[in-house]
Amino acid sequence: MKLTWMKWSALPVAVLMAGTVALAQDQSSSGSQQAPPAPAQAATPAPAAAPAEKPKPTVAQRKENQQDRIANGVQSGQLTAGETAKLEKKEAAINKETAADRAANGGKLTASEKKQVNRQQNQASKQIYADKHNANTAHYANNKVGQRRENQQDRIAQGVKSGQLTAGETAKLENQQKGINKQVAADRKANGGTLTASEKKQINKEQNGASKNIHNKKHNAKTQPQAQPKP
């Protein structure tokens, strides 16, 4: 009887111990499992690179740009011969000053000289714009005199744009055209808006002389240096 009691009393203890061992194994197994990975964060986009600062045009590039604008104005008729002569006289003075500064500094311009040239070109730029947008325009009549006049202006504009004509040469050519235009206007006014046969002959003779002058200046040793792009 005593043995039987000991047998049944040991059973709950064994069951309790087995449960404890199983619980410990379960906890150990749970602890050995890796935690789920944290959700990946979206990559932060790299800041956009700042746009490169546009390089300032060189003195030569600025000069060429002004000449192109003048040439366009001559060809379109926005600039009269008188306006063009004044603009090119101003450009010739800037070019002469620049050449003198370079000669005095071994071929280079100092920072202050570059600043001065740029300031002068700013003033010339405003004058080009004002002259191209004022009420004065070069009207080419649908007749031989008007066609000849337009042809001369086209040749001058082409020489300016190509660099065959310097600013000084252009100023002289445009002064010559200005004189012819002034004479034509005076003759028309005196004759009720028309030209006599002798007046047309005289104008054509003067334009022949101007034409030779344009050719000679476009094919002499003087040229307007073209700006070279930076490497």
Side-chain angles (χ1 to χ4, degrees), residues 3-170:
L3 290 174
T4 301
W5 178 85
M6 291 179 64
K7 176 181 177 182
W8 290 107
S9 63
L11 184 58
V13 175
V15 173
L16 180 60
M17 291 180 63
T20 303
V21 172
L23 180 60
Q25 289 177 348
D26 186 59
Q27 290 177 344
S28 175
S29 176
S30 299
S32 64
Q33 293 180 358
Q34 295 181 351
Q41 295 182 351
T44 303
E53 186 177 352
K54 189 176 181 179
K56 293 182 179 180
T58 63
V59 170
Q61 289 169 339
R62 188 78 190 275
K63 179 171 68 173
E64 183 177 358
N65 178 58
Q66 303 285 58
Q67 290 298 93
D68 285 345
R69 291 174 61 202
I70 292 173
N72 291 337
V74 171
Q75 202 154 25
S76 68
Q78 291 175 287
L79 292 175
T80 66
E83 289 172 336
T84 305
K86 290 179 182 179
L87 290 172
E88 289 290 28
K89 188 176 180 181
K90 184 177 292 188
E91 287 293 323
I94 296 174
N95 296 342
K96 187 176 181 180
E97 181 182 337
T98 302
D101 290 338
R102 288 188 186 280
N105 298 317
K108 296 182 179 181
L109 295 175
T110 65
S112 61
E113 288 169 345
K114 289 180 181 178
K115 189 175 181 179
Q116 172 67 13
V117 171
N118 191 58
R119 183 162 52 247
Q120 291 173 334
Q121 286 288 23
N122 285 342
Q123 294 172 351
S125 179
K126 291 179 181 178
Q127 190 61 52
I128 293 171
Y129 180 88
D131 288 346
K132 288 177 71 173
H133 295 85
N134 62 14
N136 299 327
T137 55
H139 296 290
Y140 305 117
N142 189 23
N143 52 50
K144 289 185 178 181
V145 172
Q147 290 172 349
R148 187 76 190 274
R149 175 184 168 195
E150 182 178 3
N151 180 58
Q152 303 286 56
Q153 289 299 90
D154 286 345
R155 291 174 62 201
I156 292 173
Q158 187 275 332
V160 172
K161 188 167 284 189
S162 68
Q164 292 174 286
L165 292 175
T166 67
E169 289 174 332
T170 305

Side-chain angles (χ1 to χ4, degrees), residues 212-227:
K212 291 179 182 179
N213 206 10
I214 293 171
H215 177 85
N216 291 338
K217 290 187 184 307
K218 287 177 70 174
H219 296 86
N220 61 13
K222 297 179 181 179
T223 55
Q224 182 87 8
Q226 300 296 296

